Amino acid sequence: MNELTTSREGTGHVNAGAAAGCAPSGALPQIAARDGWSPPEWALMQRLLLETLNDAAAEFVRRYTYPDGTLIWRDNWPGMDGSDDPYEAFMNLALLYALGGSEEVHALALNMWDAITWQWTQYGQIYNEFDRYYDWMHHGEGYLYLYFLGLTDPHLPKQVQRSVRFAGMYTGDDPEADNYDKEKKLIRSPITGSKGPRFTMTEEDWCTHRGVLDDYLAPFEDIPGVDFASGKCPWSDDNVYREIIRLMNERMARGDVPLNLNATSLVTHAFMMTGEERFRGWVLTYYAAWEERAARNGGIMPDNVGLSGEIGEYMDGKWWGGYYGWRWPHGFMTVIEPLTNAAMNAALLTGDMSRLGEARRQLDLNWSLGKREDGVWVVPHRHFDAGWTDYRQPDPKYAIYLWTVSMAEEDRERANRIEAAAHFREVDVPAVSGRNPATGKETKHFIGNTYPWFRYMQGLAPDYPGQALHAGYRLIRQQLEKMRSDAGNPRSWNYGAYNTDDLSSIHFWQEYCPLYFESLVQLTWGAPMHISHGGLQHARLRYFDADGRRPGLPEQVGALVEALTEDGATVTLVNVGLTAERTVIVQAGGFGEHRFEQAVCYNERGERTAVVPIGSRWLEVKLAPGSGVRLELTMLRYVNAPTYATPWTAEADRAPVLRGRSE
C-alpha cells in the first residue's frame, strides 16, 4: 500500500529571471512520508555528531572567553597578522547552526563575531569592523565567518550593513578604503583593507612572523647574505629582515596579484545579501581582467601586475615572483586557489559553466608541464628565475571543486587523471589545521577527506558515509582531549614568543577547537567543504526546519546525499525519532540557485511510491515518527539568482542599509 501522500497547493515557482530574495507565494510543494524506516547507522551518527558538537561548542567558548565573549589572551598584539585566526577558530559556530546546531550555538555565533571584532579593534588590527590591512589569503580565511553568518541570519541589519560596507571597500565605492582602480580594473596592492592599500610595509607589520618564516624559502633570490638554494631565510636576523622589508616595498607592495581574486567571495556575498546588480557586475569584471592578463601572458597566469596594469612592472618584467605568487611562499596553491574560488563565484552568479574556463586552463597548463618521476606524474609548483621547479604530485581537490559545480565529464577526468597518493585516498583524521608534516597534505581547518568523498560520489567507496562519520567523531574526541589538556589552558600559554611552532599563540584556538565536521557537510549538503582560503560554502542541497522557522535539519532528522548528476540528486531523509512528526524544507542549492522539477519517491524496500511535480527552489517534506523517504530529485541547476533568502523572507524583508550623518 502506498504510504506516501503528496500535496501541491502552490508551486512556489521562481523564474530564472526573478530577483534574488523573492519568496514563493502560497504553500510550498509537499511530500508526506509515512512509511516506517529502520534508523540507518549514518542517520544515528549524524544526530550523535550534532548533539556532541552542540555541547562541545558551549564548552569551547567557556574555555577560552570571558563572560562577554572576549578571548582570554594577551593585553596587546603587534603586527598586521590578527583577526583572521580567532575568526577562523570560532567561524564554525555559524556553520554548525546552519546545519542544524542548537539555538545556543546560534547565540554564540553572533556574540563571538562581535566580541572578536571589538577585541581586535582594540589591539589595532581592525578598523570600521574590517581588517585595517592584510593580504587576501588571510582576509579569505577570516571572512569565512562572515559568509557562514549569511547562511544563518541574512536579514539582520548588522549582516546587511556589513556586507554592503565591506564590499564597497573593494568595488571602489569607499573613498577611505581606496583599494580598487575602476579604470585599470585592478586591486592596488596585495595588502589592503579598511584603511586602503598598504604601499609601504614596516618591520612592525611582519614582526609576529619572523620566527616561523626562518624555515621558509626566501621571498627573493638576491637577498644579500641569504643562500636561496638552501630553502631557508633567516628573518630573525635583523640585517636580513631589514633588507627583506625594503625589497618587499620596492617590488611587492604595489599592484595586483591573483590572491586578490579571493575578494570576489566577499562581493558575491554582498550580492546574495542584497541582490544589487553592481556587486555581480564587479565580480565578473574583475575576474575577466585576470583572464585577460593570463591571455596576454601567453596563457600563464602572471603573479604580479603593476599599478599601470603592466605585468612584471616592479619585477623587471618577470611574470613570476610576486607576493604570494609562483615563487614565494606557497607557489601554485596561491595561484590556483583564488582562481578556483573566483571561477566558481562567476559560475554561481551567471549559471554559465564556461566561466570555469580559466581555472581549467591553468590546471591543464600545469599538468602539461609535468613529467614522470619514479612512475608517478609530478607537476611544478613553483617558478624561479631558472624556470619551473618543485615538482610534486598534484592535488586533485581543485578539479573536484570544479566538478561539483559543472558536473562535467572533463572536470571528473581532470581529477581522475591524478594518481592520488595514499594520503589522499584514505579517510583521514587530521592532526593539525595546516600541512601534515609527514605527507605534506594540506588539512587547513581540518579538511582532509575531499578525495574520498569524490570517490563515494562516483560509486567507488560505498562505505564512505560510515567511515567518514566515525572519523568525524574521533576528530571531535581528539580535539576535546587537546582542549581539556594542560596545554589547552589559555591562562597558562606562553605569550612571550611569537610563531615558535604550529601552536604559536594566535593559532592556539584553531588547533584546540573541537568544531570540525567535514562529514556532515559532505553527506547532508552533497558538497565538499569550502576552500579554506576564502571559498564560499557551496552545496547541492540545504535544509530548513519548517516548524522552527530556522536553517538546518530539524531535530532527529538525518539526511544522506547518495548521488549527484548534472540534472539531479538523490537524498534519503529519515526521522529517527518515534514521538514527533518533523517537517524539513529542502532547498535546491546552497543559495537557492537551482530549481527542483520533480521528485521520485521510494520507500525503504526500494519501491517507487510516488512521482511529484515541484517547480520550485523549495520542497517541504513531512516525516512521520520513525519514517523516511528516498528522493530522486530532478533539477535545473543555476537557473535562479543566488540568494541567502529563506522560505519565509522576501526581498522586502531586508533591513535597510543605515546611513550616517554627513559633516
Side-chain angles (χ1 to χ4, degrees):
M1 183 175 66
N2 184 358
E3 292 296 330
L4 186 144
T5 60
T6 66
S7 170
R8 198 167 181 270
E9 297 174 0
T11 65
H13 182 82
V14 182
N15 291 320
C22 288
S25 59
L28 298 179
Q30 289 184 357
I31 292 173
R34 307 194 183 283
D35 255 359
W37 202 292
S38 301
E41 182 188 14
W42 58 259
L44 296 172
M45 280 298 300
Q46 286 178 4
R47 298 314 311 179
L48 175 62
L49 286 179
L50 284 168
E51 292 166 12
T52 304
L53 288 162
N54 284 336
D55 293 339
E59 184 179 350
F60 178 55
V61 173
R62 284 196 306 270
R63 176 72 156 165
Y64 293 110
T65 69
Y66 294 108
D68 65 353
T70 51
L71 289 163
I72 301 168
W73 202 44
R74 309 170 51 91
D75 62 1
N76 70 89
W77 179 248
M80 64 180 172
D81 187 19
S83 66
D84 61 293
D85 293 290
Y87 280 143
E88 287 174 77
F90 291 88
M91 66 186 183
N92 280 342
L93 290 165
L95 188 57
L96 175 58
Y97 180 67
L99 285 166
S102 68
E103 291 300 332
E104 181 182 14
V105 167
H106 182 206
L108 291 172
L110 295 171
N111 186 56
M112 287 307 303
W113 170 276
D114 287 338
I116 292 167
T117 302
W118 178 87
Q119 189 166 353
W120 263 259
T121 299
Q122 307 312 304
Y123 288 142
Q125 280 78 21
I126 287 179
Y127 168 77
N128 202 11
E129 294 195 301
F130 196 92
D131 262 302
R132 290 161 61 94
Y133 54 89
Y134 208 0
D135 59 58
W136 263 103
M137 170 168 274
H138 296 89
H139 287 333
E141 292 171 340
Y143 292 110
L144 292 171
Y145 199 156
L146 181 78
Y147 312 152
F148 295 164
L149 287 170
L151 297 170
T152 65
D153 297 284
H155 298 286
L156 289 182
K158 285 183 180 179
Q159 307 292 9
V160 177
Q161 190 87 4
R162 287 172 183 141
S163 73
V164 172
R165 188 171 69 252
F166 293 174
M169 296 174 184
Y170 288 91
T171 58
D173 297 318
D174 182 345
E176 192 173 11
D178 188 20
N179 294 308
Y180 185 65
D181 184 328
K182 291 185 178 182
E183 179 184 352
K184 296 289 195 300
K185 300 179 178 60
L186 58 82
I187 292 177
R188 301 172 65 219
S189 172
I191 309 296
T192 59
S194 57
K195 282 289 191 179
R198 182 77 162 174
F199 293 139
T200 302
M201 291 176 277
T202 68
E203 292 181 31
E204 194 271 345
D205 285 338
W206 286 89
C207 68
T208 60
H209 285 70
R210 293 181 68 180
V212 71
L213 287 173
D214 280 345
D215 293 324
Y216 273 63
L217 179 77
F220 306 103
E221 299 183 37
D222 59 351
I223 302 172
V226 175
D227 178 12
F228 182 78
S230 72
K232 307 277 187 180
C233 183
W235 287 64
S236 55
D237 181 303
D238 288 344
N239 292 327
V240 171
Y241 183 53
R242 193 171 301 115
E243 183 66 8
I244 290 172
I245 299 301
R246 184 187 73 79
L247 290 173
M248 290 180 81
N249 286 331
E250 180 182 296
R251 301 174 181 177
M252 285 184 171
R254 293 163 294 163
D256 212 348
V257 295
L259 191 63
N260 285 333
L261 281 163
N262 280 333
T264 62
S265 293
L266 182 76
V267 182
T268 300
H269 168 78
F271 174 79
M272 293 192 293
M273 290 290 288
T274 66
E276 292 189 30
E277 187 59 36
R278 63 190 174 109
F279 295 130
R280 171 161 45 188
W282 183 89
V283 171
L284 301 179
T285 296
Y286 183 58
Y287 176 56
W290 276 105
E291 291 181 300
E292 185 276 331
R293 291 163 191 162
R296 186 165 20 120
N297 195 46
I300 299 173
M301 183 64 66
D303 70 13
N304 66 104
V305 176
L307 290 173
S308 70
E310 179 185 345
I311 295 169
E313 183 173 350
Y314 311 117
M315 295 294 296
D316 296 325
K318 300 172 185 174
W319 53 261
W320 67 91
Y323 183 93
Y324 272 75
W326 283 107
R327 178 164 58 202
W328 177 87
H330 303 298
F332 184 53
M333 181 186 80
T334 43
V335 175
I336 193 60
E337 274 199 353
L339 178 57
T340 302
N341 284 333
M344 293 169 69
N345 292 337
L348 174 68
L349 290 170
T350 64
D352 180 1
M353 294 301 109
S354 71
R355 305 281 182 160
L356 304 176
E358 194 57 53
R360 289 165 167 165
R361 281 188 287 275
Q362 296 305 313
L363 287 173
D364 290 345
L365 176 60
N366 186 246
W367 182 263
S368 73
L369 294 168
K371 60 185 179 181
R372 194 160 291 278
E373 289 184 354
D374 299 324
V376 176
W377 193 257
V378 293
V379 299
H381 282 68
R382 299 179 191 271
H383 192 284
F384 295 164
D385 290 350
W388 295 106
T389 186
D390 190 15
Y391 285 83
R392 290 180 264 142
Q393 284 186 267
D395 191 328
K397 69 182 178 184
Y398 306 113
I400 293 171
Y401 282 111
L402 297 179
W403 174 78
T404 61
V405 173
S406 71
M407 288 281 104
E409 185 60 29
E410 65 171 291
D411 292 319
R412 185 197 298 268
E413 290 176 358
R414 284 186 178 91
N416 284 330
R417 72 187 175 188
I418 296 170
E419 300 157 280
H423 58 261
F424 286 124
R425 295 194 304 269
E426 296 167 358
V427 176
D428 195 4
V429 181
V432 296
S433 175
R435 178 171 292 186
N436 183 307
T439 65
K441 178 182 176 181
E442 294 290 342
T443 56
K444 184 70 176 177
H445 300 153
F446 292 83
I447 299 169
N449 293 310
T450 301
Y451 189 71
W453 170 81
F454 173 62
R455 296 187 73 246
Y456 169 61
M457 285 293 98
Q458 296 182 89
L460 301 175
D463 297 331
Y464 178 72
Q467 293 174 349
L469 291 164
H470 281 279
Y473 184 83
R474 293 197 300 274
L475 177 60
I476 298 169
R477 182 175 61 197
Q478 164 192 292
Q479 294 301 107
L480 285 171
E481 289 173 355
K482 287 162 60 175
M483 184 188 79
R484 293 165 179 164
S485 69
D486 291 341
N489 182 356
R491 299 183 185 277
S492 65
W493 291 344
N494 175 16
Y495 299 127
Y498 306 122
N499 293 291
T500 54
D501 54 32
D502 284 342
L503 297 181
S504 56
S505 56
I506 202 164
H507 299 117
F508 277 139
W509 307 292
Q510 288 182 63
E511 294 300 334
Y512 294 128
C513 176
L515 305 181
Y516 298 113
F517 38 81
E518 179 181 23
S519 62
L520 286 178
V521 171
Q522 291 176 337
L523 299 177
T524 64
W525 286 7
M529 288 287 279
H530 60 275
I531 294 178
S532 59
H533 300 110
L536 297 175
Q537 181 55 65
H538 295 254
R540 180 62 72 92
L541 303 176
R542 263 192 78 199
Y543 311 97
F544 296 88
D545 180 346
D547 297 319
R549 295 176 69 85
R550 50 149 292 177
L553 287 167
E555 291 183 28
Q556 298 187 308
V557 172
L560 179 63
V561 177
E562 302 171 70
L564 298 175
T565 64
E566 184 175 2
D567 62 355
T570 300
V571 61
T572 296
L573 300 170
V574 178
N575 179 359
V576 302
L578 296 176
T579 58
E581 180 182 79
R582 306 291 178 182
T583 303
V584 57
I585 296 173
V586 187
Q587 177 175 286
F591 313 108
E593 66 271 27
H594 310 321
R595 184 173 72 238
F596 295 128
E597 293 297 285
Q598 176 180 276
V600 181
C601 309
Y602 297 87
N603 62 22
E604 188 177 18
R605 298 179 296 278
E607 299 164 341
R608 179 185 293 192
T609 56
V611 177
V612 184
I614 304 174
S616 172
R617 73 175 72 186
W618 289 299
L619 169 65
E620 186 175 277
V621 181
K622 292 183 177 295
L623 295 164
S627 73
V629 62
R630 177 173 287 112
L631 302 173
E632 287 185 356
L633 296 164
T634 303
M635 60 178 67
L636 296 177
R637 296 190 311 120
Y638 299 102
V639 295
N640 292 324
T643 175
Y644 287 120
T646 72
W648 309 285
T649 54
E651 190 171 320
D653 297 319
R654 289 196 181 105
V657 176
L658 306 181
R659 310 292 180 183
R661 65 184 291 262
S662 59
E663 297 183 8

